[in-house]
Amino acid sequence: MTSAKEQAAIGRLLAFLQEWDNAGRAARSRILDNFIEANQGKMGPELELEFSQGASLFLARLTAWLRLSYMNGTCLDQLLKAIGIFLSAASGHRYLIEFLEVGGVLTLLEILGLSQLKEEDKKESIKLLQLVANAGRKYKELICESYGVRSIAEFMASSKSEKAQRQVQILLDSLGHGNPKYQNQVYKGLIALLPCTSPHAQQLSLQTLRVVQAIVGKSHPSIVEAVLGVLRSMELEVQYEAQRSSQLHPRCTTETLILFSFPSAPGSQNLYTTSVEKSRNSAIQLIKDLTSYDVRPALLRGLVALLKPARREAVKTQAKTLGDPTTFDLAESLPVYVQQAAAAKAIGVLAKSSTDLAKELVQLRVVHGLMCAMGNQDHATGQRQASITLAHFVQTFPVVEEHVRKAIGEPLFQLFMGDPKSLYMNMDAVQTDILVSNKVDIPGSLLCLERTQQKEEAWE
């Protein structure tokens, strides 16, 4: 027989459950608030004591109401936080099992795809999925088997909340560790995120991708195009505003038009620049990592190709120079020039990190491409980055110095080597044309001959 004290506790539990069952929306919201405030951080045994060994009865009611009401968002944030108290409770593994048995994972994933729900609600859903994933390998597999990686990645790409995106990164990182059966699925999901228009989402995806790449141990061919595409990152609204500005200010350079495109709020330009620059820097670091994998040749070829925009884009630029701005599609040219500058910077990073990489790049005609980029008067940043990178090649390889000196002439060469960073500000139209029209092509045999000579000199 139960004691009077136990009977009283059971009576309180039944009364509480009856109150919940009979309560309307407002009353349930109040009950949830009180529960969350009183039980945050409690362990499983403490929750059982609070509910007279009947905590599972309340959890069952919470999950039932979640399944019935999640589509319209009724008290959704409170519901998810309340369920989170059970799932995060130490020594409360039974609550996780009970939640999963009623389809909890599928419900959480469906919440992520509903456009009518608030970002805050979706962030709470992500936090619960983190708790599930952190419970062990088989739970990570359950999420992945439920097409979770796709749903999670799609939410990250569409989210406007940096806090929510950060929570998604934590979840994807968890799914990428200790999950050999589906780690490739996570890897491909991260690659699919790279073309998204949010620089912050790109940056977080790139950071996680570097970690997962090392876990997977081999590269997927699609990563080359995806990571190179990040180098031309520019938010769509900025492209649109820049296009409008080009109609109002047809004589401005592309970088000046970018300034017209930023919102007028104080600091908005700096926030944009910082976010996009971080994304590109993360891409460059991933590119550096990928040179250790079998995509290295394709990656290097792709980088060098970006130094010279496609002929279609070159024709547009030439049309603008001849005074016909109506034939120049600025919305397209801005990303191309941004990509050109970022490629020049990435090539410089690679060349400084490895002489072997530098030699491979020279054989791919990187010197020719860098000189063309130095002559692009529509993008000063690209000119500056290309000049800095070319200076490194000139200082590293005498054969490169010889070819560059011969191609541009002694006066321009001395101007270039005197201060590569500011060369673009001191060139005239003739010197720019010399750079753009260069035909430099350094055979690999010359590099090999130079290396042999260096060895012989060392022996002497």
Side-chain angles (χ1 to χ4, degrees), residues 155-435:
F155 169 59
M156 187 175 191
S158 62
S159 175
K160 302 298 182 184
S161 166
E162 292 191 359
K163 291 182 179 179
Q165 290 171 339
R166 173 60 181 154
Q167 293 301 322
V168 173
Q169 182 200 24
I170 294 170
L171 176 57
L172 288 173
D173 183 77
S174 176
L175 292 174
H177 285 80
N179 188 14
K181 186 176 180 180
Y182 291 103
Q183 63 187 18
N184 275 308
Q185 188 181 103
V186 177
Y187 174 63
K188 292 176 183 178
L190 288 165
I191 294 175
L193 269 171
L194 297 186
C196 75
T197 57
S198 166
H200 188 68
Q202 283 182 335
Q203 180 196 350
L204 296 175
S205 301
L206 287 162
Q207 290 173 352
T208 309
L209 191 53
R210 291 185 67 192
V211 176
V212 176
Q213 176 68 71
I215 295 172
V216 173
K218 58 182 180 180
S219 56
H220 192 275
S222 65
I223 198 172
V224 174
E225 182 179 355
V227 73
L228 293 181
V230 176
L231 299 181
R232 68 188 293 167
S233 296
M234 182 170 289
E235 292 182 2
L236 295 177
E237 55 266 32
V238 175
Q239 292 184 41
Y240 171 73
E241 291 299 332
Q243 188 176 32
R244 290 182 59 198
S245 297
S246 69
Q247 298 168 0
L248 298 173
H249 312 279
R251 297 293 179 184
C252 292
T253 65
T254 54
E255 288 180 299
T256 304
L257 289 169
I258 291 176
L259 297 179
F260 281 115
S261 309
F262 286 109
S264 58
S268 57
Q269 177 182 339
N270 291 335
L271 288 173
Y272 167 80
T273 304
T274 300
S275 183
V276 173
E277 190 61 27
K278 284 182 178 179
S279 178
R280 293 199 196 103
N281 287 339
S282 296
I284 290 173
Q285 291 304 312
L286 177 58
I287 288 171
K288 187 177 176 181
D289 293 346
L290 289 172
T291 58
S292 301
Y293 295 88
D294 55 2
V295 295
R296 171 170 166 162
L299 197 59
L300 297 183
R301 287 195 302 269
L303 279 172
V304 174
L306 295 181
L307 295 173
K308 292 186 64 178
R311 181 173 178 80
R312 180 171 60 90
E313 298 295 342
V315 169
K316 292 176 182 177
T317 306
Q318 184 180 21
K320 182 193 176 194
T321 304
L322 294 173
D324 185 13
T326 59
T327 64
F328 179 66
D329 189 349
L330 184 65
E332 291 186 28
S333 69
L334 281 174
V336 169
Y337 292 157
V338 165
Q339 194 175 34
Q340 183 187 54
K345 181 178 180 179
I347 288 168
V349 171
L350 296 180
K352 291 171 185 176
S353 70
S354 167
T355 303
D356 288 338
L357 280 173
K359 289 177 180 177
E360 288 182 51
L361 287 163
V362 170
Q363 294 180 52
L364 292 170
R365 297 196 71 194
V366 72
V367 175
H368 168 72
L370 288 170
M371 291 172 68
C372 290
M374 287 167 62
N376 179 12
Q377 291 181 303
D378 284 308
H379 201 256
T381 301
Q383 288 181 294
R384 183 174 179 272
Q385 292 291 353
S387 186
I388 293 170
T389 299
L390 181 61
H392 173 76
F393 281 96
V394 169
Q395 293 162 358
T396 304
F397 303 109
V399 67
V400 173
E401 177 184 354
E402 178 185 343
H403 278 73
V404 173
R405 188 191 298 269
K406 182 178 178 180
I408 66 178
E410 189 65 28
L412 182 53
F413 183 80
Q414 292 301 326
L415 185 65
F416 162 55
M417 294 306 295
D419 189 2
K421 293 181 180 180
S422 61
L423 174 69
Y424 69 96
M425 295 188 292
N426 300 315
M427 291 189 298
D428 57 33
V430 174
Q431 291 170 326
T432 301
D433 186 60
I434 290 173
L435 289 167

Side-chain angles (χ1 to χ4, degrees), residues 89-140:
S91 304
H93 189 69
R94 56 178 286 194
Y95 302 136
L96 175 63
I97 300 300
E98 292 167 2
F99 179 70
L100 298 180
E101 285 177 347
V102 295
V105 165
L106 288 174
T107 302
L108 295 176
L109 293 173
E110 287 177 16
I111 287 172
L112 300 179
L114 296 177
S115 59
Q116 70 268 28
L117 298 182
K118 299 176 183 177
E119 291 255 326
E120 190 64 30
D121 296 335
K122 295 179 181 182
K123 185 178 77 172
E124 289 301 322
S125 180
I126 290 291
K127 287 182 178 179
L128 294 192
L129 287 168
Q130 290 173 10
L131 293 172
V132 175
N134 291 340
R137 174 176 168 177
K138 68 177 182 179
Y139 301 104
K140 294 176 183 179

